[in-house]
Amino acid sequence: PEPRDPDSAEDIAAADRYIQFYVGWFAHPIYSTQGDYPAAMKDIILQKSLSEGLQDSRLPQFTQGEINSIKGTGDFFGLNHYTARIIANNVDPSAPPGYSNDRNLTESTAPEWPRAASEWLYVVPWGLRRLLKFIKDNYNDPDVYITENGRSDHDSQPPMMEDDDRICYYMGYIDEVLKAIEVDGVKVRAYTAWSLMDNFEWSRGYSERFGLHYVNFTDPSRPRTPKKSAGFYKDIIANNGFPEGADVTETVRSMWSGCRGGPAGLAAGVRASVGTLAVSVMVAIVCILFKM
């Protein structure tokens, strides 16, 4: 998340609260040096609980023994990441108690951020790098496995097989992972594209497609057909990234300006940085997953 006004102390604090409530709720007890829930969560929920006439916080409290038992138990940090948000401080005393109101903030997006088929998914590649740096700095520099990252298309006829928008998405996000590794020193051990094939997407059913392969759900045998992005991602894996002289690197160079400025444009602020990045397809067993 980014503060709406980077010069506003209140918006900066709200952006931190957003990530503490979204990620820290689960990660802080396991990966932080202190253990326990984030202080931002504990303090604000206690204050709101008391103002509601309760005797104790609505947020359950760990015992010191539980804090010590949970802290440091993660083998690695599994991260699902898709998008980002702009955060502003906002206190609404009339809002009902609960997770959303406890955070004292509002979420928004920037008009230049392209949106995928999913109404919540905006293309903001630099958000992944910043989140990876946050994980490194706040959670004792763990090994990070990116277990999901991808872009949705609508279920359309004829099928969306020339999925250049998805290729642009992967170009931008993998580039930001490279910066996190090479510049920020984040220990990213693997990157996993979501998804290998179209699937049942929660409440959206079959109406949104994330797959590198198209699945015909009207055929009982469910035939799978590679989309254009499948060939692109296959080339990344075969070359272990974007090495100089590889065909996939030339593809990236030829598409980069169109991805940034055209209908499939990447979010403003992305900067080109083509290098070598180890990527792998993996089936992840994850200790914690965050979709953000």
Side-chain angles (χ1 to χ4, degrees):
E2 288 296 301
R4 183 179 63 185
D5 180 355
D7 296 321
S8 166
E10 289 187 340
D11 285 355
I12 292 171
D16 181 70
R17 279 199 306 277
Y18 176 92
I19 201 166
Q20 296 297 348
F21 271 75
Y22 205 106
V23 175
W25 186 9
F26 305 98
H28 201 273
I30 297 174
Y31 297 100
S32 72
T33 300
Q34 304 86 357
D36 203 352
Y37 290 125
M41 288 191 72
K42 294 176 65 177
D43 293 344
I44 198 169
I45 296 176
L46 175 60
Q47 292 171 12
K48 286 180 176 283
S49 298
L50 295 178
S51 69
E52 294 157 11
L54 301 177
Q55 298 299 311
D56 297 300
S57 175
R58 287 186 274 101
L59 181 69
Q61 298 181 41
F62 289 121
T63 66
Q64 189 58 52
E66 290 170 335
I67 291 172
N68 295 337
S69 178
I70 295 169
K71 185 173 59 177
T73 55
D75 295 316
F76 62 88
F77 196 108
L79 176 68
N80 291 4
H81 178 88
Y82 291 86
T83 190
R85 289 293 185 268
I86 296 169
I87 304 301
N89 184 67
N90 181 69
V91 179
D92 184 0
S94 65
Y99 173 83
S100 295
N101 182 45
D102 284 346
R103 300 177 300 167
N104 285 347
L105 56 84
T106 58
E107 305 176 34
S108 61
T109 58
E112 66 268 23
W113 294 356
R115 198 182 86 176
S118 305
E119 62 182 13
W120 53 268
L121 204 171
Y122 289 80
V123 183
V124 196
W126 50 260
L128 177 52
R129 177 185 176 185
R130 297 188 188 189
L131 180 57
L132 289 169
K133 183 66 161 56
F134 176 89
I135 292 168
K136 171 185 169 65
D137 292 343
N138 290 273
Y139 300 135
N140 289 304
D141 195 17
D143 290 342
V144 179
Y145 288 74
I146 299 174
T147 45
E148 289 187 23
N149 182 235
R151 186 190 189 283
S152 59
D153 287 324
H154 291 289
D155 180 31
S156 59
Q157 292 298 327
M160 180 72 69
M161 304 302 291
E162 297 292 314
D163 54 343
D164 286 346
D165 285 1
R166 181 169 289 107
I167 292 174
C168 287
Y169 183 98
Y170 284 126
M171 281 168 44
Y173 276 80
I174 290 173
D175 179 58
E176 292 298 319
V177 175
L178 171 65
K179 294 175 189 175
I181 294 170
E182 298 293 337
V183 179
D184 303 330
V186 182
K187 295 189 294 190
V188 179
R189 301 308 188 196
Y191 172 93
T192 310
W194 186 265
S195 177
L196 177 65
M197 66 188 74
D198 296 329
N199 61 89
F200 188 86
E201 285 295 331
W202 299 91
S203 63
R204 305 306 298 171
Y206 298 119
S207 65
E208 296 173 3
R209 294 176 177 266
F210 280 83
L212 296 167
H213 292 75
Y214 174 81
V215 179
N216 183 352
F217 293 113
T218 64
D219 188 326
S221 63
R222 300 293 192 266
R224 292 115 184 193
T225 306
K227 302 175 187 177
K228 184 177 179 181
S229 59
F232 173 78
Y233 195 65
K234 176 183 176 181
D235 288 345
I236 293 176
I237 295 169
N239 287 280
N240 196 33
F242 307 128
E244 192 63 38
D247 289 343
V248 68
T249 307
E250 295 307 311
T251 298
V252 170
R253 287 198 173 112
S254 66
M255 293 183 64
W256 190 264
S257 61
C259 285
R260 293 182 63 200
L266 298 178
V270 174
R271 297 292 180 264
S273 176
V274 177
T276 301
L277 170 63
V279 291
S280 63
V281 175
M282 54 173 284
V283 177
I285 301 175
V286 202
C287 51
I288 292 184
L289 294 178
F290 305 111
K291 184 163 290 189
M292 180 175 177

PDB file of all heavy atoms in Angstrom, residues 123-144:
ATOM      1  N   VAL A 123      -3.133  -3.510 -12.052  1.00  0.00           N
ATOM      2  CA  VAL A 123      -1.754  -3.872 -12.390  1.00  0.00           C
ATOM      3  C   VAL A 123      -0.811  -2.811 -11.834  1.00  0.00           C
ATOM      4  O   VAL A 123      -0.722  -1.698 -12.351  1.00  0.00           O
ATOM      5  CB  VAL A 123      -1.588  -4.015 -13.917  1.00  0.00           C
ATOM      6  CG1 VAL A 123      -0.171  -4.456 -14.258  1.00  0.00           C
ATOM      7  CG2 VAL A 123      -2.614  -5.006 -14.465  1.00  0.00           C
ATOM      8  N   VAL A 124      -0.088  -3.177 -10.781  1.00  0.00           N
ATOM      9  CA  VAL A 124       0.823  -2.253 -10.089  1.00  0.00           C
ATOM     10  C   VAL A 124       2.104  -3.009  -9.738  1.00  0.00           C
ATOM     11  O   VAL A 124       2.325  -3.391  -8.579  1.00  0.00           O
ATOM     12  CB  VAL A 124       0.171  -1.686  -8.807  1.00  0.00           C
ATOM     13  CG1 VAL A 124       0.942  -0.459  -8.318  1.00  0.00           C
ATOM     14  CG2 VAL A 124      -1.298  -1.355  -9.014  1.00  0.00           C
ATOM     15  N   PRO A 125       2.985  -3.254 -10.701  1.00  0.00           N
ATOM     16  CA  PRO A 125       4.135  -4.128 -10.444  1.00  0.00           C
ATOM     17  C   PRO A 125       5.032  -3.692  -9.296  1.00  0.00           C
ATOM     18  O   PRO A 125       5.520  -4.529  -8.533  1.00  0.00           O
ATOM     19  CB  PRO A 125       4.888  -4.104 -11.775  1.00  0.00           C
ATOM     20  CG  PRO A 125       3.847  -3.789 -12.794  1.00  0.00           C
ATOM     21  CD  PRO A 125       2.916  -2.846 -12.115  1.00  0.00           C
ATOM     22  N   TRP A 126       5.276  -2.383  -9.159  1.00  0.00           N
ATOM     23  CA  TRP A 126       6.186  -1.938  -8.100  1.00  0.00           C
ATOM     24  C   TRP A 126       5.660  -2.264  -6.704  1.00  0.00           C
ATOM     25  O   TRP A 126       6.421  -2.290  -5.734  1.00  0.00           O
ATOM     26  CB  TRP A 126       6.497  -0.455  -8.223  1.00  0.00           C
ATOM     27  CG  TRP A 126       5.328   0.467  -8.380  1.00  0.00           C
ATOM     28  CD1 TRP A 126       4.863   1.028  -9.541  1.00  0.00           C
ATOM     29  CD2 TRP A 126       4.456   0.960  -7.343  1.00  0.00           C
ATOM     30  NE1 TRP A 126       3.765   1.830  -9.290  1.00  0.00           N
ATOM     31  CE2 TRP A 126       3.508   1.805  -7.959  1.00  0.00           C
ATOM     32  CE3 TRP A 126       4.391   0.759  -5.954  1.00  0.00           C
ATOM     33  CZ2 TRP A 126       2.498   2.443  -7.228  1.00  0.00           C
ATOM     34  CZ3 TRP A 126       3.387   1.396  -5.225  1.00  0.00           C
ATOM     35  CH2 TRP A 126       2.459   2.228  -5.862  1.00  0.00           C
ATOM     36  N   GLY A 127       4.355  -2.508  -6.584  1.00  0.00           N
ATOM     37  CA  GLY A 127       3.808  -2.874  -5.284  1.00  0.00           C
ATOM     38  C   GLY A 127       4.394  -4.168  -4.750  1.00  0.00           C
ATOM     39  O   GLY A 127       4.573  -4.333  -3.533  1.00  0.00           O
ATOM     40  N   LEU A 128       4.716  -5.096  -5.639  1.00  0.00           N
ATOM     41  CA  LEU A 128       5.296  -6.362  -5.205  1.00  0.00           C
ATOM     42  C   LEU A 128       6.695  -6.149  -4.651  1.00  0.00           C
ATOM     43  O   LEU A 128       7.055  -6.702  -3.601  1.00  0.00           O
ATOM     44  CB  LEU A 128       5.320  -7.356  -6.373  1.00  0.00           C
ATOM     45  CG  LEU A 128       5.968  -8.713  -6.091  1.00  0.00           C
ATOM     46  CD1 LEU A 128       5.391  -9.376  -4.848  1.00  0.00           C
ATOM     47  CD2 LEU A 128       5.821  -9.627  -7.309  1.00  0.00           C
ATOM     48  N   ARG A 129       7.494  -5.339  -5.328  1.00  0.00           N
ATOM     49  CA  ARG A 129       8.852  -5.089  -4.818  1.00  0.00           C
ATOM     50  C   ARG A 129       8.794  -4.450  -3.428  1.00  0.00           C
ATOM     51  O   ARG A 129       9.536  -4.836  -2.522  1.00  0.00           O
ATOM     52  CB  ARG A 129       9.612  -4.180  -5.778  1.00  0.00           C
ATOM     53  CG  ARG A 129      11.011  -3.826  -5.268  1.00  0.00           C
ATOM     54  CD  ARG A 129      11.723  -2.839  -6.161  1.00  0.00           C
ATOM     55  NE  ARG A 129      13.000  -2.456  -5.592  1.00  0.00           N
ATOM     56  CZ  ARG A 129      13.789  -1.523  -6.116  1.00  0.00           C
ATOM     57  NH1 ARG A 129      13.439  -0.879  -7.224  1.00  0.00           N
ATOM     58  NH2 ARG A 129      14.940  -1.221  -5.525  1.00  0.00           N
ATOM     59  N   ARG A 130       7.917  -3.473  -3.252  1.00  0.00           N
ATOM     60  CA  ARG A 130       7.843  -2.792  -1.964  1.00  0.00           C
ATOM     61  C   ARG A 130       7.360  -3.720  -0.863  1.00  0.00           C
ATOM     62  O   ARG A 130       7.821  -3.641   0.289  1.00  0.00           O
ATOM     63  CB  ARG A 130       6.955  -1.560  -2.085  1.00  0.00           C
ATOM     64  CG  ARG A 130       7.527  -0.543  -3.055  1.00  0.00           C
ATOM     65  CD  ARG A 130       6.778   0.760  -3.064  1.00  0.00           C
ATOM     66  NE  ARG A 130       7.251   1.610  -4.146  1.00  0.00           N
ATOM     67  CZ  ARG A 130       6.905   2.877  -4.314  1.00  0.00           C
ATOM     68  NH1 ARG A 130       6.069   3.442  -3.462  1.00  0.00           N
ATOM     69  NH2 ARG A 130       7.375   3.587  -5.323  1.00  0.00           N
ATOM     70  N   LEU A 131       6.444  -4.615  -1.196  1.00  0.00           N
ATOM     71  CA  LEU A 131       5.982  -5.575  -0.201  1.00  0.00           C
ATOM     72  C   LEU A 131       7.100  -6.549   0.167  1.00  0.00           C
ATOM     73  O   LEU A 131       7.281  -6.889   1.345  1.00  0.00           O
ATOM     74  CB  LEU A 131       4.769  -6.335  -0.725  1.00  0.00           C
ATOM     75  CG  LEU A 131       4.172  -7.379   0.210  1.00  0.00           C
ATOM     76  CD1 LEU A 131       3.781  -6.764   1.554  1.00  0.00           C
ATOM     77  CD2 LEU A 131       2.975  -8.059  -0.438  1.00  0.00           C
ATOM     78  N   LEU A 132       7.860  -6.996  -0.812  1.00  0.00           N
ATOM     79  CA  LEU A 132       8.977  -7.894  -0.534  1.00  0.00           C
ATOM     80  C   LEU A 132      10.006  -7.220   0.378  1.00  0.00           C
ATOM     81  O   LEU A 132      10.551  -7.844   1.297  1.00  0.00           O
ATOM     82  CB  LEU A 132       9.641  -8.334  -1.837  1.00  0.00           C
ATOM     83  CG  LEU A 132       8.823  -9.304  -2.698  1.00  0.00           C
ATOM     84  CD1 LEU A 132       9.450  -9.452  -4.081  1.00  0.00           C
ATOM     85  CD2 LEU A 132       8.690 -10.671  -2.030  1.00  0.00           C
ATOM     86  N   LYS A 133      10.278  -5.942   0.127  1.00  0.00           N
ATOM     87  CA  LYS A 133      11.219  -5.202   0.982  1.00  0.00           C
ATOM     88  C   LYS A 133      10.651  -5.068   2.401  1.00  0.00           C
ATOM     89  O   LYS A 133      11.400  -5.176   3.392  1.00  0.00           O
ATOM     90  CB  LYS A 133      11.456  -3.817   0.379  1.00  0.00           C
ATOM     91  CG  LYS A 133      12.474  -2.957   1.133  1.00  0.00           C
ATOM     92  CD  LYS A 133      13.881  -3.532   1.054  1.00  0.00           C
ATOM     93  CE  LYS A 133      14.946  -2.493   1.386  1.00  0.00           C
ATOM     94  NZ  LYS A 133      14.782  -1.845   2.694  1.00  0.00           N
ATOM     95  N   PHE A 134       9.348  -4.848   2.527  1.00  0.00           N
ATOM     96  CA  PHE A 134       8.719  -4.773   3.851  1.00  0.00           C
ATOM     97  C   PHE A 134       8.895  -6.090   4.605  1.00  0.00           C
ATOM     98  O   PHE A 134       9.213  -6.102   5.798  1.00  0.00           O
ATOM     99  CB  PHE A 134       7.235  -4.444   3.702  1.00  0.00           C
ATOM    100  CG  PHE A 134       6.479  -4.433   5.003  1.00  0.00           C
ATOM    101  CD1 PHE A 134       6.383  -3.273   5.750  1.00  0.00           C
ATOM    102  CD2 PHE A 134       5.864  -5.592   5.469  1.00  0.00           C
ATOM    103  CE1 PHE A 134       5.694  -3.274   6.962  1.00  0.00           C
ATOM    104  CE2 PHE A 134       5.170  -5.588   6.674  1.00  0.00           C
ATOM    105  CZ  PHE A 134       5.093  -4.425   7.417  1.00  0.00           C
ATOM    106  N   ILE A 135       8.683  -7.195   3.918  1.00  0.00           N
ATOM    107  CA  ILE A 135       8.840  -8.510   4.544  1.00  0.00           C
ATOM    108  C   ILE A 135      10.273  -8.703   5.028  1.00  0.00           C
ATOM    109  O   ILE A 135      10.518  -9.174   6.139  1.00  0.00           O
ATOM    110  CB  ILE A 135       8.419  -9.615   3.560  1.00  0.00           C
ATOM    111  CG1 ILE A 135       6.899  -9.543   3.315  1.00  0.00           C
ATOM    112  CG2 ILE A 135       8.820 -10.998   4.079  1.00  0.00           C
ATOM    113  CD1 ILE A 135       6.429 -10.399   2.160  1.00  0.00           C
ATOM    114  N   LYS A 136      11.230  -8.342   4.181  1.00  0.00           N
ATOM    115  CA  LYS A 136      12.643  -8.472   4.566  1.00  0.00           C
ATOM    116  C   LYS A 136      12.954  -7.642   5.807  1.00  0.00           C
ATOM    117  O   LYS A 136      13.596  -8.126   6.749  1.00  0.00           O
ATOM    118  CB  LYS A 136      13.535  -8.013   3.408  1.00  0.00           C
ATOM    119  CG  LYS A 136      15.025  -7.890   3.746  1.00  0.00           C
ATOM    120  CD  LYS A 136      15.807  -7.307   2.580  1.00  0.00           C
ATOM    121  CE  LYS A 136      17.220  -6.929   2.988  1.00  0.00           C
ATOM    122  NZ  LYS A 136      18.024  -8.120   3.361  1.00  0.00           N
ATOM    123  N   ASP A 137      12.492  -6.396   5.819  1.00  0.00           N
ATOM    124  CA  ASP A 137      12.860  -5.469   6.885  1.00  0.00           C
ATOM    125  C   ASP A 137      12.134  -5.735   8.200  1.00  0.00           C
ATOM    126  O   ASP A 137      12.663  -5.429   9.271  1.00  0.00           O
ATOM    127  CB  ASP A 137      12.574  -4.029   6.446  1.00  0.00           C
ATOM    128  CG  ASP A 137      13.480  -3.562   5.318  1.00  0.00           C
ATOM    129  OD1 ASP A 137      14.521  -4.198   5.092  1.00  0.00           O
ATOM    130  OD2 ASP A 137      13.135  -2.556   4.667  1.00  0.00           O
ATOM    131  N   ASN A 138      10.939  -6.292   8.138  1.00  0.00           N
ATOM    132  CA  ASN A 138      10.116  -6.424   9.340  1.00  0.00           C
ATOM    133  C   ASN A 138      10.024  -7.840   9.891  1.00  0.00           C
ATOM    134  O   ASN A 138       9.610  -8.011  11.043  1.00  0.00           O
ATOM    135  CB  ASN A 138       8.708  -5.901   9.059  1.00  0.00           C
ATOM    136  CG  ASN A 138       8.670  -4.399   8.899  1.00  0.00           C
ATOM    137  OD1 ASN A 138       8.532  -3.659   9.878  1.00  0.00           O
ATOM    138  ND2 ASN A 138       8.808  -3.922   7.665  1.00  0.00           N
ATOM    139  N   TYR A 139      10.398  -8.830   9.094  1.00  0.00           N
ATOM    140  CA  TYR A 139      10.191 -10.212   9.518  1.00  0.00           C
ATOM    141  C   TYR A 139      11.473 -11.031   9.464  1.00  0.00           C
ATOM    142  O   TYR A 139      11.486 -12.200   9.086  1.00  0.00           O
ATOM    143  CB  TYR A 139       9.088 -10.851   8.667  1.00  0.00           C
ATOM    144  CG  TYR A 139       7.757 -10.138   8.793  1.00  0.00           C
ATOM    145  CD1 TYR A 139       6.991  -9.838   7.673  1.00  0.00           C
ATOM    146  CD2 TYR A 139       7.277  -9.736  10.041  1.00  0.00           C
ATOM    147  CE1 TYR A 139       5.779  -9.172   7.795  1.00  0.00           C
ATOM    148  CE2 TYR A 139       6.075  -9.063  10.170  1.00  0.00           C
ATOM    149  CZ  TYR A 139       5.329  -8.784   9.048  1.00  0.00           C
ATOM    150  OH  TYR A 139       4.130  -8.115   9.169  1.00  0.00           O
ATOM    151  N   ASN A 140      12.587 -10.377   9.836  1.00  0.00           N
ATOM    152  CA  ASN A 140      13.857 -11.085  10.007  1.00  0.00           C
ATOM    153  C   ASN A 140      14.372 -11.739   8.736  1.00  0.00           C
ATOM    154  O   ASN A 140      14.966 -12.831   8.765  1.00  0.00           O
ATOM    155  CB  ASN A 140      13.737 -12.119  11.135  1.00  0.00           C
ATOM    156  CG  ASN A 140      13.646 -11.467  12.508  1.00  0.00           C
ATOM    157  OD1 ASN A 140      14.517 -10.697  12.891  1.00  0.00           O
ATOM    158  ND2 ASN A 140      12.573 -11.762  13.228  1.00  0.00           N
ATOM    159  N   ASP A 141      14.136 -11.082   7.607  1.00  0.00           N
ATOM    160  CA  ASP A 141      14.749 -11.478   6.333  1.00  0.00           C
ATOM    161  C   ASP A 141      14.541 -12.960   6.007  1.00  0.00           C
ATOM    162  O   ASP A 141      15.497 -13.707   5.798  1.00  0.00           O
ATOM    163  CB  ASP A 141      16.244 -11.147   6.375  1.00  0.00           C
ATOM    164  CG  ASP A 141      16.895 -11.183   4.992  1.00  0.00           C
ATOM    165  OD1 ASP A 141      16.161 -11.138   3.984  1.00  0.00           O
ATOM    166  OD2 ASP A 141      18.138 -11.268   4.933  1.00  0.00           O
ATOM    167  N   PRO A 142      13.294 -13.417   5.927  1.00  0.00           N
ATOM    168  CA  PRO A 142      13.051 -14.844   5.680  1.00  0.00           C
ATOM    169  C   PRO A 142      13.255 -15.213   4.215  1.00  0.00           C
ATOM    170  O   PRO A 142      13.290 -14.351   3.334  1.00  0.00           O
ATOM    171  CB  PRO A 142      11.578 -15.001   6.058  1.00  0.00           C
ATOM    172  CG  PRO A 142      10.980 -13.683   5.659  1.00  0.00           C
ATOM    173  CD  PRO A 142      12.034 -12.651   6.002  1.00  0.00           C
ATOM    174  N   ASP A 143      13.385 -16.492   3.957  1.00  0.00           N
ATOM    175  CA  ASP A 143      13.272 -16.990   2.587  1.00  0.00           C
ATOM    176  C   ASP A 143      11.835 -16.770   2.138  1.00  0.00           C
ATOM    177  O   ASP A 143      10.890 -17.124   2.854  1.00  0.00           O
ATOM    178  CB  ASP A 143      13.598 -18.482   2.511  1.00  0.00           C
ATOM    179  CG  ASP A 143      15.075 -18.768   2.743  1.00  0.00           C
ATOM    180  OD1 ASP A 143      15.894 -17.843   2.632  1.00  0.00           O
ATOM    181  OD2 ASP A 143      15.408 -19.926   3.051  1.00  0.00           O
ATOM    182  N   VAL A 144      11.658 -16.194   0.952  1.00  0.00           N
ATOM    183  CA  VAL A 144      10.324 -15.880   0.459  1.00  0.00           C
ATOM    184  C   VAL A 144      10.036 -16.726  -0.782  1.00  0.00           C
ATOM    185  O   VAL A 144      10.832 -16.754  -1.724  1.00  0.00           O
ATOM    186  CB  VAL A 144      10.181 -14.387   0.111  1.00  0.00           C
ATOM    187  CG1 VAL A 144       8.784 -14.094  -0.428  1.00  0.00           C
ATOM    188  CG2 VAL A 144      10.469 -13.523   1.339  1.00  0.00           C
TER     189      VAL A 144
END
